[in-house]
Amino acid sequence: MLSSSITAASRRRFLRQAVGGMASLALTSSALRLAASLGQAQVLAPRASHFPPKARQLLFVFLTGGFSHVDTFDPKPRLREMHGKPLPALGLRPDENKPQPLLGSPFDFKPCGQSGLVISDLFPQLREKADDLCIIRSLHTDIVEHFQATLAMHTGSSTVPMPSIGAWLSHGLGTLNANLPSYVVLAEHLPYAGSQVFDASFLPPHHQGVRVIPGDDPIPNLRPAAEPSSLADLEARMLLDLNGQHARRRKGDLALGGRMSSFDTARGMMREAPAVFDLSKESTSTLEAYGVGSGDRTSFGWQCLTARRLLERGVRVVELIDTGSQDNWDSHGDMQAHRPKALRVDRALAALTTDLKQRGLLEDTVVAICTEFGRTPWTDASNGKGRNHFAKAFSSLLLGAGVRGGTVHGETDEFGASIVRHPAHVHDYHATLLHLMGLDHTRLTYRYGGRDFRLTDVAGTVIREILT
Amino acid sequence: MLLALASLFNISQVQSGEIPTSAHREWWAFKAVKNPAIPAPRDRAHWVRTPVDRFVLLEMEKSRATPLPPARPEALLRRLYFDLTGLPPTPTEVREFLVKPTALAFSNTVERLLASPRYGERWGRHWMDVVRYADTAGDNADYPVPEAFRYRDYLIQAFNQDKPYDQFIREQLAGDLMAKDGPPERYAESIVATGFLALSRRYATAPFELMHLTLEDTVETTGRAFLGLGLKCARCHDHKFDPVTTQDYYGLYGFFASTRFPYAGSEEFQSKNLPRSGFIPLLPPSQAARPLEQNRQRLEVLRSELIQLEKRVSEGKTNVGAKAAIETQLINLRTELKRRERSGALPDLPVAYAVCDDKPVNQAVQRQGDPSQPGEVVPRCVPSFLSGSRSIQIPEGASGRRELADWIASPENPLTARVLVNRLWHHHFGRGLVPTPSDFGLRSEAPSHPELLDYLAARFTHEDWSIKSMHRLILNSAVWQQASPEEGRSSSEVSRRLFVGFDRRRLDAESIRDALMSVAGSLDLSPPPGPHPFPPVEDWHWTQHNPFKAVYDSNHRSVYLMRQRLQRHPYLALFDAPDANQPTDARTSATVPQQALYFMNNPFVHEQAMRLADRLLDKPGSDTARLQEAYLMMYARHPLRAEERQAEDYLKRYATQAKREGVSAEAASRRAWNSYARVLLTANEFVYLD
């Protein structure tokens, strides 16, 4: 399908051919060929978007545990001035109703770039990309528990598991490369709610996120049995013969041919996927930029670089999950615990931004960097240094295709405790991402159990202010 | 302008779902079951085998369709085995049947398989899909429920014993109430049956946190499973498409709000030391009193012994030589104390994950589904649009679950029998007479054969709700025994709806694994393995940061594999086993390349193929005899002569090539057989059923 050495230009050409140029929404002949090569896995065939898309691929970066908005992307000097003084808080939990001392951020903030976006010292390298970033400071979610909030950020539902945003996009748009899954999740550890966050739920299972576990065995059953290839070829031929004879006596049964072609696709994955995970052809400067050391297969830099390689090869949605349900951004005890988490991702995310931009990938890709919820502007930790979960306001980032860089959307009050301008629910965030991909979130539906379901349930408004 | 406004108004009316009440009064599924006359189709009287065929034939005639010829005996036998037991026939069974494949031989085989314990393992699993069975609670840390297996085994037994379906319903909804005045030998199983309710999904971190969502699952699963009705939309607003009102919803909700659920653990089991509770002893209170009292006394003894020993140690009153012994004694005391305090179960008193009556309450409507916004209080009641004049009477002080169960398990209920016979039809044919087995509501497709559905439903209740007698009726019919569409006769949506031909199907996840192990000789069919090997309760420590997560290997049938609510079993999920968070009525059967990767590269498949090859090679005789045995084992047929030659040629070429790759002569032949076994197990013929 795609050779392993891909130039930016040829890739863009391929993508445009595969999904149709901006001028035409009709599927081109190469897209139809791709559909044909998918055999009976037609549910993954490329589908036309509802309107010309700004982005064709999504990179969804999820930082587990809930990073604090007031220590990262939403500066609150008043918190420092009022440090230690109580703010009578009105929260979602009963324990938030007693006055707690405000906690000034231990991190300094600086403006950066021509846009002068103010970001804290936790992200010194990403901050350099300020002019590419759009910070949304007015997100809010429904339930202030990790599990429910993680589910909500992925599926729009904080209670009953629903299809993940990646599965919805795969369902809505299909794949661009038959040799790789349409939705790949790079996660060394599972986040809260486990594999439900990238599940297809009631959508056809082709759309389920395929988890890649950084390390030696990234995709289950990908490694061939230790057999000489001449023998493996004989065996494959024999299987094809038997299946062919069987199918010839049962003409017209599409499922049989579908299963036969799934073996071809699987072999395609066996050929192509190891190359994706083999970083040996990357230049030393690239590896250094991402912070990938020799033999490293588990750092966040490895994940970011692999994400770029997956995007290059036409994977529709790539998700990066930085940490699991333990040892993450959940800094109840001391905000200094944010430091190592930020250190782990800052350099790699900045390098990824640069790399995507240099290779022209950012013209087709939208990047969402998000989390579960924010953290309280006050502290309830006995040592007065940590912050609890906070659902009423938090920050997330967007960059790339279709996004106005160097901008801030929405505003919280002087303490970051409530939203004062442009509130944006998680449903709005999702509606915006679908919009960037050329999909109307109210039309991307699936009939299940007698009802049409949507990623955005019965809500969601596209945040138009941030679109180019 | 005026016109635009008017049409806008119309749209909003439709969207708010204001279906005139007459529409649901007229809806077929809410009307009483009629017992229709058996039709007499004009032609093809010779084709008819059971009354079922007459109904099907009549519809075919109306559409000028004709049935497909009968399936080949080999295909029919394999179909029957997988349908009733989820396993392939043995070569001996195939040979015996093929000697004289008459209708009598076939119906004798039906009887034999219905009497086999393998039957309940297959059909119990279908019900487990519907009741979203799992071995864990579903809270944020997904605590294990070691007792859940009792309900699983109850279901398998219920199918094996052909428990009348009305009794099956009553036991699952109100077994605890029946146990009290039922025969003592049925006490335990009646308690266990309420696992249906106890299994409702738990949420979050505290015991019974977000209980309104747990009860939503209870109401929804009850509605879907028994009545084929989705109810949960009515939690927040009157149902848009069905006549279910918020009143109906909270009327039902009240039955379960008056029920005490067990607590199997959640994050606060660990963080706040909240022990398991509410598990129900399998002995009646009179007999349970003694072990309960003994446990209380033992706890006292343990606590005081521990205090004394700790005191002695801290005061240094122990001599040096006894130090190790005392350490051990301390550990033993602490472990036993922890186990007894935390488990809610006792060593001498088995318990079930089951429910019992709590203080009866009538539920207030939760406005917008929010329990903190109570509205009007609704007395416990059954849905008004179904009950007609027969509202139910709840005795003073009772939850009313027993009366609810009686109302559902009544031949007068228009949905109960129809829904069940349609589920049976769905599993036999791969498609229901109503294509959505858990949704008979106003948005569902009308039945393809309404009279047949009613005939089956009426006959079902008439024959004491015997599921096995429905199997007999359906399996012995000509319509079930048709061939699958072959040469040039592709099956269209229309012919599927008419049941022209038997829809070829892929084996489900359990059948693939069980069949692989069965032909490899590695499947353990000894009696059910009992509880899963969960860690002992004194070691439990799970939180949402560190949830319970395990996959336990087993040589038993796949129905006995441990299934978690929040983590899907990697193998089962790959082959479309259901998500245990919600009722599943029809499984998908998708073909994804990861399945092909599994067949090609997973060590389990390679191991089964190797065992199969060993089994074949261990048999005395020629390679040709082995090939024949292999075909009988896997495909339930004799190989064609051409296939034998093809296989012999393959074995030779493979061995030759292996020798070229440096494999010894003896090993090369074995390697060739291993490879051939893999091909046979991976081929479409193995995983598809004609």
mmCIF file of all heavy atoms in Angstrom, chain A residues 121-125 290 300-301 329 337-349:
data_model
loop_
_atom_site.group_PDB
_atom_site.id
_atom_site.type_symbol
_atom_site.label_atom_id
_atom_site.label_comp_id
_atom_site.label_asym_id
_atom_site.label_seq_id
_atom_site.Cartn_x
_atom_site.Cartn_y
_atom_site.Cartn_z
ATOM 1 N N ASP A 121 6.194 27.130 33.705
ATOM 2 C CA ASP A 121 7.519 26.542 33.526
ATOM 3 C C ASP A 121 7.477 25.017 33.471
ATOM 4 O O ASP A 121 8.506 24.386 33.242
ATOM 5 C CB ASP A 121 8.452 26.975 34.668
ATOM 6 C CG ASP A 121 8.860 28.421 34.536
ATOM 7 O OD1 ASP A 121 8.567 29.012 33.469
ATOM 8 O OD2 ASP A 121 9.460 28.974 35.488
ATOM 9 N N LEU A 122 6.321 24.443 33.714
ATOM 10 C CA LEU A 122 6.221 22.988 33.584
ATOM 11 C C LEU A 122 6.401 22.559 32.132
ATOM 12 O O LEU A 122 6.792 21.435 31.849
ATOM 13 C CB LEU A 122 4.862 22.488 34.091
ATOM 14 C CG LEU A 122 4.687 22.411 35.600
ATOM 15 C CD1 LEU A 122 3.245 22.046 35.944
ATOM 16 C CD2 LEU A 122 5.645 21.400 36.215
ATOM 17 N N PHE A 123 6.073 23.476 31.200
ATOM 18 C CA PHE A 123 6.151 23.133 29.772
ATOM 19 C C PHE A 123 7.051 24.111 29.020
ATOM 20 O O PHE A 123 6.600 24.795 28.094
ATOM 21 C CB PHE A 123 4.753 23.132 29.144
ATOM 22 C CG PHE A 123 3.872 22.010 29.627
ATOM 23 C CD1 PHE A 123 2.965 22.202 30.654
ATOM 24 C CD2 PHE A 123 3.966 20.745 29.051
ATOM 25 C CE1 PHE A 123 2.156 21.166 31.097
ATOM 26 C CE2 PHE A 123 3.170 19.698 29.494
ATOM 27 C CZ PHE A 123 2.258 19.902 30.517
ATOM 28 N N PRO A 124 8.328 24.204 29.396
ATOM 29 C CA PRO A 124 9.191 25.205 28.756
ATOM 30 C C PRO A 124 9.360 24.966 27.261
ATOM 31 O O PRO A 124 9.492 25.919 26.497
ATOM 32 C CB PRO A 124 10.531 25.033 29.495
ATOM 33 C CG PRO A 124 10.481 23.654 30.069
ATOM 34 C CD PRO A 124 9.040 23.393 30.379
ATOM 35 N N GLN A 125 9.340 23.730 26.822
ATOM 36 C CA GLN A 125 9.583 23.471 25.387
ATOM 37 C C GLN A 125 8.310 23.598 24.570
ATOM 38 O O GLN A 125 8.304 24.165 23.495
ATOM 39 C CB GLN A 125 10.200 22.083 25.222
ATOM 40 C CG GLN A 125 11.444 21.949 26.068
ATOM 41 C CD GLN A 125 12.491 21.066 25.426
ATOM 42 O OE1 GLN A 125 12.594 20.983 24.209
ATOM 43 N NE2 GLN A 125 13.267 20.395 26.260
ATOM 44 N N TYR A 290 13.363 14.057 20.101
ATOM 45 C CA TYR A 290 12.265 13.433 20.836
ATOM 46 C C TYR A 290 12.716 12.899 22.209
ATOM 47 O O TYR A 290 11.908 12.538 23.040
ATOM 48 C CB TYR A 290 11.698 12.248 20.048
ATOM 49 C CG TYR A 290 10.719 12.614 18.951
ATOM 50 C CD1 TYR A 290 11.163 12.894 17.667
ATOM 51 C CD2 TYR A 290 9.350 12.654 19.201
ATOM 52 C CE1 TYR A 290 10.278 13.216 16.645
ATOM 53 C CE2 TYR A 290 8.448 12.967 18.183
ATOM 54 C CZ TYR A 290 8.915 13.245 16.906
ATOM 55 O OH TYR A 290 8.021 13.545 15.910
ATOM 56 N N PHE A 300 7.978 8.300 26.567
ATOM 57 C CA PHE A 300 6.915 9.027 25.884
ATOM 58 C C PHE A 300 7.430 9.542 24.536
ATOM 59 O O PHE A 300 6.676 9.661 23.575
ATOM 60 C CB PHE A 300 6.412 10.176 26.764
ATOM 61 C CG PHE A 300 5.123 10.763 26.267
ATOM 62 C CD1 PHE A 300 3.949 10.033 26.312
ATOM 63 C CD2 PHE A 300 5.079 12.051 25.738
ATOM 64 C CE1 PHE A 300 2.757 10.573 25.845
ATOM 65 C CE2 PHE A 300 3.898 12.594 25.279
ATOM 66 C CZ PHE A 300 2.730 11.851 25.326
ATOM 67 N N GLY A 301 8.743 9.802 24.470
ATOM 68 C CA GLY A 301 9.347 10.195 23.198
ATOM 69 C C GLY A 301 9.166 9.102 22.152
ATOM 70 O O GLY A 301 8.837 9.373 20.991
ATOM 71 N N TRP A 329 -0.931 12.261 36.860
ATOM 72 C CA TRP A 329 -1.006 13.697 37.190
ATOM 73 C C TRP A 329 -1.890 13.974 38.411
ATOM 74 O O TRP A 329 -2.221 15.116 38.689
ATOM 75 C CB TRP A 329 -1.573 14.458 35.997
ATOM 76 C CG TRP A 329 -0.681 14.498 34.793
ATOM 77 C CD1 TRP A 329 -0.556 13.516 33.850
ATOM 78 C CD2 TRP A 329 0.199 15.558 34.395
ATOM 79 N NE1 TRP A 329 0.349 13.900 32.884
ATOM 80 C CE2 TRP A 329 0.826 15.157 33.189
ATOM 81 C CE3 TRP A 329 0.517 16.810 34.933
ATOM 82 C CZ2 TRP A 329 1.745 15.962 32.515
ATOM 83 C CZ3 TRP A 329 1.422 17.611 34.254
ATOM 84 C CH2 TRP A 329 2.036 17.184 33.068
ATOM 85 N N ALA A 337 4.637 17.179 42.346
ATOM 86 C CA ALA A 337 4.559 15.882 41.661
ATOM 87 C C ALA A 337 4.187 16.045 40.190
ATOM 88 O O ALA A 337 4.297 15.103 39.408
ATOM 89 C CB ALA A 337 3.539 14.976 42.363
ATOM 90 N N HIS A 338 3.742 17.249 39.816
ATOM 91 C CA HIS A 338 3.490 17.517 38.395
ATOM 92 C C HIS A 338 4.796 17.573 37.588
ATOM 93 O O HIS A 338 4.791 17.347 36.388
ATOM 94 C CB HIS A 338 2.765 18.865 38.227
ATOM 95 C CG HIS A 338 1.262 18.737 38.068
ATOM 96 N ND1 HIS A 338 0.534 17.735 38.660
ATOM 97 C CD2 HIS A 338 0.360 19.502 37.380
ATOM 98 C CE1 HIS A 338 -0.755 17.889 38.358
ATOM 99 N NE2 HIS A 338 -0.885 18.944 37.576
ATOM 100 N N ARG A 339 5.873 17.923 38.284
ATOM 101 C CA ARG A 339 7.133 18.147 37.570
ATOM 102 C C ARG A 339 7.601 16.944 36.745
ATOM 103 O O ARG A 339 7.805 17.060 35.538
ATOM 104 C CB ARG A 339 8.236 18.564 38.559
ATOM 105 C CG ARG A 339 8.585 20.002 38.458
ATOM 106 C CD ARG A 339 9.790 20.350 39.318
ATOM 107 N NE ARG A 339 9.620 21.668 39.902
ATOM 108 C CZ ARG A 339 9.716 22.810 39.199
ATOM 109 N NH1 ARG A 339 9.987 22.772 37.901
ATOM 110 N NH2 ARG A 339 9.543 23.966 39.789
ATOM 111 N N PRO A 340 7.762 15.781 37.407
ATOM 112 C CA PRO A 340 8.233 14.630 36.606
ATOM 113 C C PRO A 340 7.266 14.239 35.494
ATOM 114 O O PRO A 340 7.687 13.777 34.428
ATOM 115 C CB PRO A 340 8.366 13.507 37.645
ATOM 116 C CG PRO A 340 7.611 13.955 38.845
ATOM 117 C CD PRO A 340 7.633 15.449 38.823
ATOM 118 N N LYS A 341 5.969 14.454 35.720
ATOM 119 C CA LYS A 341 4.994 14.113 34.677
ATOM 120 C C LYS A 341 5.175 15.033 33.474
ATOM 121 O O LYS A 341 5.135 14.603 32.323
ATOM 122 C CB LYS A 341 3.554 14.245 35.210
ATOM 123 C CG LYS A 341 3.234 13.336 36.380
ATOM 124 C CD LYS A 341 3.411 11.872 36.036
ATOM 125 C CE LYS A 341 3.889 11.111 37.243
ATOM 126 N NZ LYS A 341 4.739 9.972 36.930
ATOM 127 N N ALA A 342 5.364 16.321 33.773
ATOM 128 C CA ALA A 342 5.550 17.296 32.695
ATOM 129 C C ALA A 342 6.873 17.052 31.978
ATOM 130 O O ALA A 342 6.955 17.107 30.747
ATOM 131 C CB ALA A 342 5.501 18.704 33.265
ATOM 132 N N LEU A 343 7.878 16.733 32.768
ATOM 133 C CA LEU A 343 9.205 16.476 32.208
ATOM 134 C C LEU A 343 9.135 15.316 31.216
ATOM 135 O O LEU A 343 9.799 15.313 30.186
ATOM 136 C CB LEU A 343 10.161 16.127 33.351
ATOM 137 C CG LEU A 343 11.652 16.251 33.047
ATOM 138 C CD1 LEU A 343 11.996 17.684 32.705
ATOM 139 C CD2 LEU A 343 12.457 15.781 34.259
ATOM 140 N N ARG A 344 8.317 14.353 31.541
ATOM 141 C CA ARG A 344 8.198 13.163 30.687
ATOM 142 C C ARG A 344 7.590 13.505 29.319
ATOM 143 O O ARG A 344 7.941 12.888 28.317
ATOM 144 C CB ARG A 344 7.336 12.123 31.412
ATOM 145 C CG ARG A 344 7.171 10.813 30.676
ATOM 146 C CD ARG A 344 6.490 9.763 31.563
ATOM 147 N NE ARG A 344 5.655 8.874 30.783
ATOM 148 C CZ ARG A 344 6.099 7.838 30.085
ATOM 149 N NH1 ARG A 344 7.389 7.562 30.080
ATOM 150 N NH2 ARG A 344 5.276 7.085 29.389
ATOM 151 N N VAL A 345 6.685 14.497 29.284
ATOM 152 C CA VAL A 345 5.971 14.728 28.020
ATOM 153 C C VAL A 345 6.365 16.006 27.281
ATOM 154 O O VAL A 345 6.177 16.099 26.064
ATOM 155 C CB VAL A 345 4.430 14.734 28.231
ATOM 156 C CG1 VAL A 345 3.972 13.395 28.808
ATOM 157 C CG2 VAL A 345 3.980 15.887 29.113
ATOM 158 N N ASP A 346 6.906 16.994 27.994
ATOM 159 C CA ASP A 346 7.086 18.328 27.408
ATOM 160 C C ASP A 346 7.963 18.299 26.161
ATOM 161 O O ASP A 346 7.568 18.741 25.092
ATOM 162 C CB ASP A 346 7.668 19.271 28.471
ATOM 163 C CG ASP A 346 7.947 20.652 27.914
ATOM 164 O OD1 ASP A 346 7.067 21.168 27.193
ATOM 165 O OD2 ASP A 346 9.029 21.206 28.185
ATOM 166 N N ARG A 347 9.156 17.748 26.322
ATOM 167 C CA ARG A 347 10.126 17.763 25.220
ATOM 168 C C ARG A 347 9.583 16.982 24.021
ATOM 169 O O ARG A 347 9.673 17.416 22.878
ATOM 170 C CB ARG A 347 11.414 17.132 25.718
ATOM 171 C CG ARG A 347 12.460 16.959 24.656
ATOM 172 C CD ARG A 347 13.680 16.370 25.333
ATOM 173 N NE ARG A 347 14.731 16.054 24.400
ATOM 174 C CZ ARG A 347 15.880 15.516 24.792
ATOM 175 N NH1 ARG A 347 16.083 15.252 26.076
ATOM 176 N NH2 ARG A 347 16.811 15.225 23.910
ATOM 177 N N ALA A 348 9.011 15.818 24.308
ATOM 178 C CA ALA A 348 8.540 14.963 23.221
ATOM 179 C C ALA A 348 7.381 15.623 22.463
ATOM 180 O O ALA A 348 7.325 15.563 21.235
ATOM 181 C CB ALA A 348 8.116 13.613 23.771
ATOM 182 N N LEU A 349 6.478 16.268 23.208
ATOM 183 C CA LEU A 349 5.345 16.918 22.533
ATOM 184 C C LEU A 349 5.825 18.084 21.679
ATOM 185 O O LEU A 349 5.325 18.314 20.574
ATOM 186 C CB LEU A 349 4.310 17.387 23.561
ATOM 187 C CG LEU A 349 3.438 16.285 24.181
ATOM 188 C CD1 LEU A 349 2.557 16.861 25.292
ATOM 189 C CD2 LEU A 349 2.570 15.600 23.124
#
